[in-house]
């Protein structure tokens, strides 16, 4: 028989962490079971510290850039998905033999729609949403993060929430100027979470996104966020390489025959005919073959 969990002592710290997650050389995050840190910083003031930039190209983006599958950042034996389900659902029942880790069923008061949803493992009614979507993270600076940092971003409880699956899929990777939860009562918390996540992972906002966030926060001027420590992007810059210019001076060959074929090795070089006239080894607009031409 499945075990009914007690909601007292629910793992609350998953909603926000000030430190980095446990990946590679990162310091440990607050354990999911510990008390949640309080939101103490003005969301509007943090928003004003975010860099405002246009979106980067989505070229090169893939889910694999953020790690494969769910990880266990706090090393409690449960992956991030199950930790978030335990945090956000009520009336949980666990799959036997999983040490109260794998949720078999539970009830979600969905923050995005306001609906109450019955979740059953294997069903498709509840998703774990990345509040700042991975694709949105990619175009706002995650390209500059290392794979380890992007994996932390994808598994950070601060950026994860159990929500109505249809609402999550309608959202896609859009930011606040293009999508907000239908449930207006949750919009301040939603925007504040995005601000905290972007601050933590050194991500930018567009001018339209910032304006949309400001409009939402105008209805809740006292909205707070948890104070976070901004990480230093450790990825390799992907700047295109400039063509290498040769410092070798062009050769001038003697006794070339005008119109004759010339070798690739002397492409661009000058040649002087027996009559003293200068030609260049090159192609023409109508002939791709290299010849000595005027």
């Amino acid at each position: 028989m499945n075990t009914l969990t007690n909601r007292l002592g629910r793992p609350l710290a998953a909603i926000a962490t000030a430190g980095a997650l446990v990946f590679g050389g990162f310091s440990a995050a607050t354990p999911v079971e510990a008390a949640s840190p309080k939101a103490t910083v003005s969301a509007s003031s943090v928003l004003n510290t975010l860099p405002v930039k246009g979106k980067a190209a989505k070229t090169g983006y893939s889910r694999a850039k953020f790690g494969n599958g769910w990880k266990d950042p706090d090393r409690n034996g449960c992956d991030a998905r199950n930790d978030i389900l335990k945090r956000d659902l009520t009336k949980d029942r666990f799959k036997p033999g999983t040490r109260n880790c794998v949720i078999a069923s539970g009830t979600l008061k969905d923050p995005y729609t306001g609906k109450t949803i019955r979740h059953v493992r294997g069903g498709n009614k509840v998703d774990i949403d990345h509040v700042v979507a991975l694709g949105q993270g990619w175009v706002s600076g995650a390209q500059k993060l290392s794979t380890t940092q992007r994996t932390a971003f994808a598994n950070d409880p601060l950026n994860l929430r159990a929500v109505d699956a249809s609402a999550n899929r309608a959202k896609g990777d859009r930011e606040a100027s293009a999508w907000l939860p239908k449930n207006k009562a949750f919009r301040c918390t939603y925007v504040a979470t995005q601000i905290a996540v972007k601050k933590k992972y050194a991500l930018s906002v567009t001018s339209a996104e910032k304006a949309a966030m400001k409009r939402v926060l105008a209805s809740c001027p006292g909205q707070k966020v948890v104070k976070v420590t901004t990480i230093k992007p450790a990825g390799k810059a992907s700047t295109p390489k400039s063509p290498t210019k040769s410092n070798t001076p062009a050769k001038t060959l003697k006794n070339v025959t005008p119109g004759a074929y010339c070798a690739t090795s002397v492409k661009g070089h000058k040649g002087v005919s027996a009559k003293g006239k200068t030609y260049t080894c090159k192609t023409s607009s109508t002939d791709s073959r290299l010849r000595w031409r005027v």
Side-chain angles (χ1 to χ4, degrees):
M1 181 176 180
N2 292 337
T3 305
L4 181 65
T5 198
N6 187 338
R7 288 293 294 176
L8 296 177
R10 170 66 56 209
L12 297 177
I15 61 174
T17 57
L21 299 177
V22 179
F23 286 105
F26 285 83
S27 58
T30 305
V32 173
E33 292 81 359
S36 175
K38 293 182 179 180
T40 59
V41 185
S42 163
S44 294
S45 65
V46 176
L47 173 59
N48 287 331
T49 69
L50 298 181
V52 179
K53 297 180 181 179
K55 292 181 182 179
K58 203 172 180 181
T59 306
Y61 167 77
S62 71
R63 175 62 178 82
K65 297 284 188 179
F66 292 80
N68 294 312
W70 294 105
K71 309 301 180 185
D72 180 12
D74 60 3
R75 299 179 182 176
N76 68 347
C78 294
D79 63 30
R81 172 182 169 76
N82 280 296
D83 275 338
I84 299 306
L85 288 172
K86 285 196 292 182
R87 184 194 72 189
D88 294 350
L89 270 60
T90 60
K91 301 179 182 179
D92 305 340
R93 289 185 180 274
F94 295 94
K95 181 179 179 181
T98 64
R99 298 182 179 181
N100 286 1
C101 176
V102 178
I103 297 286
S105 64
T107 300
L108 173 69
K109 178 66 175 178
D110 176 46
Y112 286 0
T113 63
K115 298 187 299 184
T116 298
I117 302 171
R118 181 62 178 166
H119 167 70
V120 177
R121 186 169 183 264
N124 60 0
K125 293 184 178 180
V126 173
D127 280 354
I128 303 300
D129 179 42
H130 290 94
V131 182
V132 175
L134 304 186
Q136 164 58 206
W138 184 260
V139 300
S140 60
Q143 297 180 29
K144 298 178 182 178
L145 303 179
S146 67
T147 300
T148 296
Q149 290 172 326
R150 288 195 293 265
T151 301
F153 172 83
N155 289 270
D156 191 337
L158 175 62
N159 194 33
L160 299 176
R161 192 172 289 273
V163 299
D164 173 68
S166 60
N168 178 47
R169 293 164 198 179
K171 168 190 170 182
D173 61 3
R174 291 184 288 177
E175 35 78 11
S177 69
W179 190 91
L180 290 168
K182 182 179 180 181
N183 179 17
K184 293 182 179 180
F186 186 70
R187 288 181 178 178
C188 287
T189 301
Y190 175 79
V191 164
T193 301
Q194 288 192 324
I195 291 169
V197 171
K198 290 208 163 188
K199 178 67 175 178
K200 182 173 179 179
Y201 289 94
L203 304 179
S204 61
V205 290
T206 65
S207 56
E209 181 182 5
K210 183 174 182 178
M213 288 176 163
K214 281 190 169 183
R215 285 194 295 271
V216 171
L217 293 177
S219 67
C220 48
Q223 180 69 46
K224 305 290 185 182
V225 295
V226 173
K227 185 177 181 180
V228 297
T229 301
T230 304
I231 67 172
K232 183 177 180 180
K236 294 181 179 179
S238 55
T239 52
K241 295 182 179 179
S242 301
T244 303
K245 294 184 178 180
S246 173
N247 293 322
T248 305
K251 297 179 181 178
T252 299
L253 289 85
K254 296 180 180 180
N255 297 320
V256 302
T257 302
Y261 295 120
C262 50
T264 304
S265 60
V266 293
K267 180 181 178 181
H269 292 286
K270 303 294 183 182
V272 180
S273 69
K275 295 182 178 181
K277 190 171 182 178
T278 301
Y279 297 85
T280 303
C281 178
K282 62 182 180 179
T283 61
S284 73
S285 59
T286 58
D287 185 1
S288 61
R289 294 171 294 183
L290 291 170
R291 294 176 182 267
W292 289 109
R293 307 174 191 271
V294 175

